[in-house]
Amino acid sequence: MKKKILFFEDLGKKEYKETWEYQKRLFYDIIQKKVNNISYQKAGYFLFVEHPHVYTIGKNGKKNKHLLVTSDFLKKINATFYQTDRGGDITYHGPGQLIGYPILNMDYFFTDIHKYLRLLEEVIIHFLWKNYGIKGERKKGKTGVWFHNNVVEKSRKICAIGIKISRWVTMHGFALNVNTDLRYFDHIIPCGIYNQEVTSLKKELKKNDISFKEVKQMVKKSFQEIFDVEFMPITKK
């Protein structure tokens, strides 16, 4: 069976707002083509990016409860804040964290939101096990990838997921902590979940630093395998 083709682009380090606007342009372009029954030969896009310090919250998130600091404090730590159009609650993005934004036309895959979320989790679970031999897991009733200590309150979250779907086109995606400064999570209730820890690949492997370049390549391969796709580079005009 012929693999689905996605345009791939590594945006490097880029501000959250600029990336969000870029996502929306790609997202609405696919939707517009669907609405007008215009043939679209590719199944969508997959973007990698690394953001400067920023806190984002989903459309139903509770800023007053889950953001623990003031706007002035955010300025002191060089962080910005955005209310977004994705699902989920509050999270942090920053240097050393790999963000993956799949902008997919789900007509090429399947039309099942829960299956899509589980496959995004599976990409990270597959990446962790295949490359590092560590077992990432799901947490009942929650979205993301975790490590467990056999005590629910002490589970450690390594990857957050928040998405938007409209007319079966996706945007937003996952945030994998690689070399992330975890102290920035102290200023929020991550994903609105109390009594949880946040971790990183660097912390779990007890290393000074993890090759970000290598992680990108490995996550990319896991995404290709789990979603059964091939990547094509975006050619800028």
Side-chain angles (χ1 to χ4, degrees):
M1 186 175 179
K2 190 175 181 180
K3 291 182 180 292
K4 296 167 282 290
I5 303 296
L6 295 181
F7 286 114
F8 174 79
E9 186 173 7
D10 186 341
L11 300 175
K13 297 179 179 179
K14 193 174 287 291
E15 291 284 346
Y16 183 83
K17 185 177 182 181
E18 185 179 354
T19 309
W20 187 15
E21 292 299 324
Y22 183 49
Q23 276 197 84
K24 287 191 281 188
R25 289 200 301 272
L26 300 177
F27 176 78
Y28 287 113
D29 180 62
I30 296 175
I31 288 178
Q32 195 63 37
K33 285 182 170 64
K34 291 180 73 170
V35 169
N36 294 321
N37 293 314
I38 297 173
S39 178
Y40 197 77
Q41 300 302 316
K42 303 297 181 291
Y45 302 84
F46 185 47
L47 310 177
F48 273 163
V49 70
E50 187 181 4
H51 293 309
H53 303 297
V54 59
Y55 294 95
T56 70
I57 194 166
K59 55 188 177 181
N60 297 318
K62 299 177 181 178
K63 178 182 177 182
N64 293 337
K65 287 186 176 182
H66 299 154
L67 177 63
L68 306 178
V69 294
T70 64
S71 298
D72 287 339
F73 184 83
L74 291 181
K75 291 178 182 177
K76 288 181 181 179
I77 61 173
N78 297 313
T80 52
F81 176 88
Y82 289 96
Q83 180 91 38
T84 76
D85 54 355
R86 62 167 171 79
D89 208 286
I90 195 167
T91 195
Y92 161 77
H93 301 312
Q97 185 188 70
L98 177 60
I99 310 292
Y101 290 136
I103 304 166
L104 308 181
N105 181 349
M106 296 305 291
D107 291 343
Y108 284 80
F109 297 90
F110 47 79
T111 50
D112 184 326
I113 293 174
H114 296 290
K115 182 178 178 179
Y116 176 61
L117 289 169
R118 301 295 80 79
L119 284 188
L120 286 181
E121 293 166 345
E122 191 62 31
V123 169
I124 304 304
I125 291 169
H126 179 273
F127 152 77
L128 291 169
W129 182 253
K130 182 174 182 179
N131 299 288
Y132 298 101
I134 51 180
K135 188 179 180 182
E137 299 178 277
R138 296 178 177 87
K139 189 170 183 177
K140 187 175 181 180
K142 307 296 181 184
T143 301
V145 179
W146 315 68
F147 299 114
H148 297 311
N149 280 336
N150 298 319
V151 179
V152 174
E153 289 77 14
K154 295 296 181 181
S155 57
R156 311 179 306 283
K157 191 170 189 178
I158 192 169
C159 182
I161 294 174
I163 66 167
K164 173 182 177 176
I165 291 187
S166 178
R167 292 183 179 269
W168 292 111
V169 179
T170 73
M171 64 179 287
H172 299 290
F174 63 82
L176 173 67
N177 295 323
V178 183
N179 298 312
T180 316
D181 184 347
L182 300 176
R183 293 174 296 179
Y184 277 80
F185 286 98
D186 295 340
H187 308 313
I188 60 174
I189 304 298
C191 304
I193 304 172
Y194 292 85
N195 299 318
Q196 74 156 39
E197 293 182 13
V198 179
T199 191
S200 66
L201 193 57
K202 174 181 175 179
K203 182 176 180 180
E204 293 298 319
L205 296 176
K206 297 179 173 61
K207 292 188 175 182
N208 292 330
D209 214 21
I210 306 295
S211 171
F212 207 66
K213 182 178 179 180
E214 289 181 4
V215 167
K216 284 181 177 181
Q217 291 303 313
M218 292 185 290
V219 171
K220 189 177 174 183
K221 288 180 181 177
S222 289
F223 190 93
Q224 285 179 291
E225 186 167 334
I226 298 303
F227 279 87
D228 191 28
V229 297
E230 290 184 358
F231 291 125
M232 177 181 293
I234 292 179
T235 302
K236 295 292 186 180
K237 296 182 180 179

